[in-house]
Coordinates of all heavy atoms in Angstrom, one line a residue:
N124 N 102.2 45.9 78.1 CA 102.7 44.5 78.1 C 102.1 43.7 76.9 O 100.9 43.6 76.8 CB 102.3 43.8 79.4 CG 103.3 42.7 79.8 OD1 104.0 42.9 80.9 ND2 103.5 41.7 79.0
G125 N 103.0 43.3 76.1 CA 102.6 42.6 74.8 C 102.2 41.1 75.1 O 102.5 40.5 76.1
N126 N 101.6 40.5 74.0 CA 101.2 39.1 74.1 C 102.1 38.3 73.3 O 102.1 38.2 72.1 CB 99.7 39.1 73.5 CG 99.2 37.7 73.4 OD1 99.9 36.7 73.6 ND2 97.9 37.6 73.0
L127 N 102.9 37.5 74.1 CA 103.8 36.6 73.4 C 103.3 35.1 73.5 O 103.5 34.3 72.7 CB 105.2 36.6 74.1 CG 106.3 35.7 73.6 CD1 107.7 36.4 73.6 CD2 106.4 34.5 74.5
G128 N 102.4 34.9 74.6 CA 101.9 33.6 74.9 C 101.0 33.1 73.8 O 101.1 31.9 73.4
S129 N 100.0 33.9 73.4 CA 99.1 33.4 72.4 C 98.9 34.3 71.2 O 98.1 34.1 70.3 CB 97.7 33.3 73.0 OG 97.1 34.6 73.3
G130 N 99.8 35.3 71.1 CA 99.8 36.2 69.9 C 101.0 35.9 69.0 O 102.0 35.3 69.4
T131 N 100.9 36.5 67.8 CA 102.0 36.2 66.9 C 103.0 37.4 66.9 O 102.7 38.5 67.4 CB 101.4 36.2 65.4 OG1 100.8 37.4 65.1 CG2 100.4 35.1 65.3
V132 N 104.1 37.2 66.3 CA 105.1 38.2 66.2 C 104.5 39.4 65.3 O 104.7 40.5 65.7 CB 106.4 37.7 65.4 CG1 107.3 38.8 65.1 CG2 107.1 36.6 66.3
Q133 N 103.8 39.0 64.3 CA 103.2 40.1 63.5 C 102.2 40.9 64.3 O 102.2 42.2 64.2 CB 102.4 39.4 62.3 CG 101.8 40.4 61.4 CD 101.1 39.8 60.2 OE1 101.0 38.6 60.1 NE2 100.5 40.6 59.3
E134 N 101.4 40.3 65.1 CA 100.4 41.0 65.9 C 101.1 42.0 66.9 O 100.7 43.1 67.0 CB 99.6 40.0 66.7 CG 98.5 40.7 67.5 CD 97.7 39.7 68.4 OE1 97.9 38.5 68.3 OE2 96.8 40.2 69.1
M135 N 102.2 41.5 67.5 CA 103.0 42.4 68.4 C 103.6 43.5 67.7 O 103.6 44.7 68.0 CB 104.0 41.6 69.2 CG 104.7 42.4 70.3 SD 105.9 41.5 71.2 CE 105.0 40.4 72.2
S136 N 104.2 43.1 66.5 CA 104.9 44.1 65.7 C 103.9 45.2 65.2 O 104.2 46.4 65.2 CB 105.6 43.4 64.6 OG 105.8 44.3 63.5
E137 N 102.7 44.8 64.8 CA 101.8 45.8 64.3 C 101.2 46.6 65.4 O 100.8 47.8 65.2 CB 100.7 45.0 63.5 CG 101.2 44.5 62.2 CD 100.1 43.8 61.4 OE1 99.1 43.4 61.9 OE2 100.4 43.6 60.1
W138 N 101.1 46.1 66.6 CA 100.6 46.9 67.7 C 101.6 48.1 68.0 O 101.2 49.2 68.1 CB 100.4 46.1 69.0 CG 99.6 46.7 70.1 CD1 98.8 47.9 69.9 CD2 99.4 46.3 71.4 NE1 98.2 48.1 71.1 CE2 98.5 47.2 72.0 CE3 99.9 45.2 72.1 CZ2 98.1 47.0 73.4 CZ3 99.5 45.1 73.5 CH2 98.6 45.9 74.1
V139 N 102.9 47.7 67.9 CA 103.9 48.8 68.1 C 103.8 49.8 67.0 O 103.9 51.0 67.2 CB 105.3 48.1 68.2 CG1 106.4 49.2 68.3 CG2 105.4 47.2 69.5
E140 N 103.6 49.3 65.8 CA 103.5 50.2 64.7 C 102.3 51.1 64.8 O 102.3 52.3 64.6 CB 103.4 49.4 63.3 CG 103.3 50.2 62.1 CD 103.0 49.3 60.8 OE1 103.5 48.2 60.8 OE2 102.3 49.8 59.9
Y141 N 101.2 50.5 65.3 CA 99.9 51.2 65.4 C 100.1 52.3 66.5 O 99.7 53.5 66.3 CB 98.8 50.3 65.9 CG 97.5 50.9 66.0 CD1 96.6 50.9 65.0 CD2 97.0 51.4 67.3 CE1 95.3 51.4 65.1 CE2 95.7 51.9 67.4 CZ 94.9 51.9 66.3 OH 93.6 52.5 66.4
M142 N 100.8 52.0 67.5 CA 101.0 53.0 68.6 C 102.0 54.1 68.3 O 101.8 55.2 68.7 CB 101.4 52.3 69.9 CG 100.3 51.4 70.4 SD 100.7 50.6 72.1 CE 101.9 49.4 71.6
T143 N 103.1 53.7 67.6 CA 104.2 54.7 67.5 C 104.6 55.1 66.2 O 105.5 56.0 66.1 CB 105.4 54.0 68.2 OG1 105.8 52.9 67.5 CG2 105.1 53.7 69.7
F144 N 104.1 54.6 65.1 CA 104.6 55.0 63.8 C 104.0 56.3 63.3 O 102.8 56.5 63.4 CB 104.4 53.9 62.7 CG 105.1 54.2 61.4 CD1 106.4 53.8 61.3 CD2 104.4 54.8 60.4 CE1 107.1 54.1 60.1 CE2 105.1 55.1 59.2 CZ 106.4 54.7 59.0
E145 N 104.9 57.2 62.9 CA 104.4 58.5 62.3 C 104.7 58.5 60.8 O 105.9 58.3 60.5 CB 105.1 59.6 63.0 CG 104.6 61.0 62.6 CD 105.1 62.0 63.6 OE1 106.3 61.9 64.1 OE2 104.4 63.0 63.8
G146 N 103.8 58.7 60.0 CA 104.0 58.6 58.5 C 103.1 57.7 57.9 O 102.0 57.4 58.4
V147 N 103.5 57.3 56.7 CA 102.5 56.5 55.9 C 102.8 55.0 56.2 O 103.9 54.5 55.9 CB 102.7 56.8 54.4 CG1 101.7 55.9 53.6 CG2 102.5 58.2 54.1
S148 N 101.8 54.3 56.8 CA 101.9 52.9 57.0 C 100.5 52.4 57.3 O 99.7 53.1 57.7 CB 102.9 52.6 58.2 OG 102.1 52.5 59.4
P149 N 100.3 51.1 57.0 CA 98.9 50.6 57.3 C 98.4 50.8 58.7 O 97.3 51.2 58.9 CB 99.1 49.1 57.0 CG 100.3 48.9 56.2 CD 101.2 50.1 56.5
M150 N 99.3 50.6 59.7 CA 98.9 50.7 61.1 C 98.7 52.2 61.4 O 97.7 52.5 62.2 CB 99.8 50.0 62.0 CG 99.9 48.6 61.9 SD 98.3 47.8 62.1 CE 98.0 47.1 60.5
A151 N 99.5 53.1 60.9 CA 99.4 54.5 61.2 C 98.1 55.0 60.6 O 97.3 55.8 61.2 CB 100.6 55.3 60.7
E152 N 97.7 54.5 59.4 CA 96.5 54.9 58.8 C 95.2 54.4 59.6 O 94.3 55.1 59.8 CB 96.4 54.4 57.4 CG 97.1 55.3 56.4 CD 97.3 54.7 55.0 OE1 96.4 53.8 54.6 OE2 98.3 55.0 54.4
L153 N 95.4 53.2 60.1 CA 94.3 52.6 60.9 C 94.1 53.5 62.1 O 92.9 53.7 62.5 CB 94.6 51.2 61.2 CG 93.6 50.3 62.0 CD1 92.3 50.3 61.2 CD2 94.1 48.9 62.3
R154 N 95.2 53.8 62.8 CA 95.1 54.7 64.0 C 94.4 56.0 63.6 O 93.5 56.4 64.4 CB 96.5 54.9 64.5 CG 96.5 55.7 65.9 CD 97.9 56.0 66.3 NE 98.5 56.9 65.3 CZ 99.8 56.8 64.7 NH1 100.5 55.7 65.0 NH2 100.2 57.7 63.9
E155 N 94.8 56.5 62.5 CA 94.2 57.8 62.1 C 92.7 57.6 61.9 O 91.9 58.4 62.3 CB 94.9 58.3 60.8 CG 94.6 59.8 60.6 CD 95.4 60.3 59.4 OE1 96.4 59.7 59.0 OE2 94.9 61.2 58.8
Q156 N 92.3 56.5 61.2 CA 90.9 56.3 61.0 C 90.1 56.2 62.3 O 88.9 56.5 62.4 CB 90.7 54.9 60.2 CG 90.8 55.0 58.7 CD 91.0 53.5 58.2 OE1 90.5 52.5 58.8 NE2 91.8 53.4 57.1
N157 N 90.8 55.7 63.3 CA 90.2 55.5 64.6 C 90.3 56.8 65.5 O 90.0 56.8 66.7 CB 90.8 54.3 65.4 CG 90.3 53.0 64.7 OD1 89.2 53.0 64.2 ND2 91.2 52.0 64.8
G158 N 90.7 57.9 64.8 CA 90.6 59.2 65.5 C 91.9 59.7 66.1 O 91.8 60.7 66.8
H159 N 93.0 59.0 65.9 CA 94.2 59.6 66.5 C 95.3 59.6 65.5 O 96.0 58.7 65.2 CB 94.6 58.7 67.7 CG 95.3 59.5 68.8 ND1 96.7 59.8 68.7 CD2 94.9 60.1 69.9 CE1 97.0 60.5 69.8 NE2 95.9 60.7 70.5
E160 N 95.5 60.9 65.0 CA 96.5 61.0 63.9 C 97.9 60.8 64.4 O 98.7 60.1 63.8 CB 96.3 62.4 63.2 CG 97.0 62.5 62.0 CD 97.0 63.9 61.4 OE1 96.1 64.6 61.8 OE2 97.9 64.2 60.6
S161 N 98.2 61.5 65.5 CA 99.6 61.5 65.9 C 99.9 60.2 66.7 O 99.0 59.7 67.4 CB 100.0 62.7 66.7 OG 99.0 62.9 67.7
P162 N 101.1 59.7 66.6 CA 101.5 58.5 67.4 C 101.6 58.8 68.9 O 101.7 60.0 69.3 CB 102.8 58.1 66.8 CG 103.4 59.4 66.3 CD 102.3 60.3 65.8
W163 N 101.6 57.8 69.7 CA 101.8 58.0 71.1 C 103.2 57.6 71.4 O 103.9 57.0 70.6 CB 100.8 57.1 71.9 CG 99.4 57.3 71.7 CD1 98.7 58.4 72.2 CD2 98.4 56.6 71.0 NE1 97.3 58.3 71.9 CE2 97.1 57.2 71.2 CE3 98.4 55.4 70.3 CZ2 96.0 56.7 70.6 CZ3 97.3 54.9 69.8 CH2 96.0 55.5 69.9
K164 N 103.5 57.8 72.7 CA 104.9 57.4 73.1 C 104.7 56.1 74.0 O 104.0 56.2 75.1 CB 105.5 58.5 73.9 CG 107.0 58.2 74.3 CD 107.7 59.6 74.7 CE 109.1 59.3 75.0 NZ 109.3 58.9 76.4
V165 N 105.4 55.1 73.6 CA 105.4 53.9 74.5 C 106.8 53.9 75.2 O 107.8 53.9 74.5 CB 105.3 52.6 73.6 CG1 105.5 51.3 74.5 CG2 103.9 52.5 72.9
D166 N 106.8 54.0 76.5 CA 108.0 54.1 77.2 C 108.7 52.8 77.5 O 109.8 52.6 77.3 CB 107.8 54.9 78.5 CG 107.4 56.3 78.2 OD1 108.3 57.1 77.8 OD2 106.3 56.7 78.4
Y167 N 107.8 51.8 77.9 CA 108.3 50.5 78.2 C 107.3 49.5 77.5 O 106.2 49.7 77.4 CB 108.2 50.2 79.7 CG 109.1 51.1 80.4 CD1 108.7 52.4 80.9 CD2 110.4 50.7 80.7 CE1 109.5 53.2 81.6 CE2 111.3 51.6 81.4 CZ 110.8 52.8 81.8 OH 111.7 53.7 82.5
F168 N 107.9 48.3 77.0 CA 107.1 47.3 76.4 C 107.6 46.0 77.0 O 108.7 45.6 76.8 CB 107.3 47.3 74.9 CG 106.3 46.5 74.1 CD1 105.1 47.1 73.7 CD2 106.6 45.1 73.9 CE1 104.2 46.3 73.0 CE2 105.6 44.3 73.3 CZ 104.4 44.9 72.8
G169 N 106.6 45.3 77.6 CA 106.9 43.9 78.1 C 106.7 42.9 77.1 O 105.6 42.8 76.5
V170 N 107.7 42.1 76.8 CA 107.6 41.0 75.8 C 107.1 39.8 76.5 O 107.9 38.8 76.8 CB 108.9 40.9 75.1 CG1 108.8 39.9 73.9 CG2 109.4 42.2 74.5
G171 N 105.8 39.7 76.8 CA 105.2 38.6 77.5 C 105.1 38.9 79.0 O 105.8 39.8 79.5
N172 N 104.3 38.1 79.6 CA 104.2 38.2 81.1 C 104.1 36.8 81.7 O 103.4 35.9 81.1 CB 102.9 38.9 81.5 CG 102.5 38.7 82.9 OD1 103.1 39.3 83.8 ND2 101.5 37.9 83.2
E173 N 104.9 36.5 82.7 CA 104.8 35.2 83.4 C 104.8 34.1 82.4 O 103.9 33.2 82.4 CB 103.7 35.2 84.4 CG 103.8 36.2 85.5 CD 103.0 35.9 86.8 OE1 102.1 35.1 86.7 OE2 103.2 36.6 87.8
N174 N 105.7 34.1 81.5 CA 105.7 33.1 80.4 C 106.1 31.7 80.9 O 106.0 30.7 80.2 CB 106.5 33.5 79.2 CG 106.0 34.8 78.7 OD1 106.5 35.9 79.1 ND2 105.0 34.8 77.8
W175 N 106.5 31.7 82.2 CA 106.8 30.4 82.8 C 105.5 29.8 83.4 O 105.4 28.7 83.9 CB 107.8 30.6 84.0 CG 107.6 31.9 84.7 CD1 108.4 33.0 84.6 CD2 106.6 32.2 85.7 NE1 107.9 34.0 85.4 CE2 106.8 33.5 86.1 CE3 105.6 31.5 86.3 CZ2 106.0 34.2 87.1 CZ3 104.8 32.1 87.3 CH2 105.0 33.5 87.6
G176 N 104.4 30.6 83.3 CA 103.1 30.2 83.9 C 102.0 30.5 82.9 O 101.9 30.0 81.8
C177 N 101.1 31.5 83.4 CA 99.9 31.8 82.6 C 100.3 32.3 81.2 O 99.4 32.3 80.3 CB 99.1 32.8 83.3 SG 99.8 34.4 83.6

Side-chain angles (χ1 to χ4, degrees):
N124 210 116
N126 176 352
L127 177 141
S129 70
T131 62
V132 174
Q133 183 180 1
E134 183 182 0
M135 187 180 284
S136 158
E137 287 182 344
W138 197 11
V139 174
E140 183 187 327
Y141 185 87
M142 293 185 285
T143 63
F144 191 83
E145 187 166 32
V147 180
S148 91
M150 292 304 113
E152 274 168 33
L153 184 59
R154 185 186 65 230
E155 198 179 333
Q156 277 164 29
N157 289 330
H159 210 276
E160 192 187 338
S161 54
W163 296 288
K164 185 162 183 275
V165 174
D166 295 290
Y167 298 88
F168 192 92
V170 185
N172 165 74
E173 296 197 350
N174 302 93
W175 36 261
C177 64

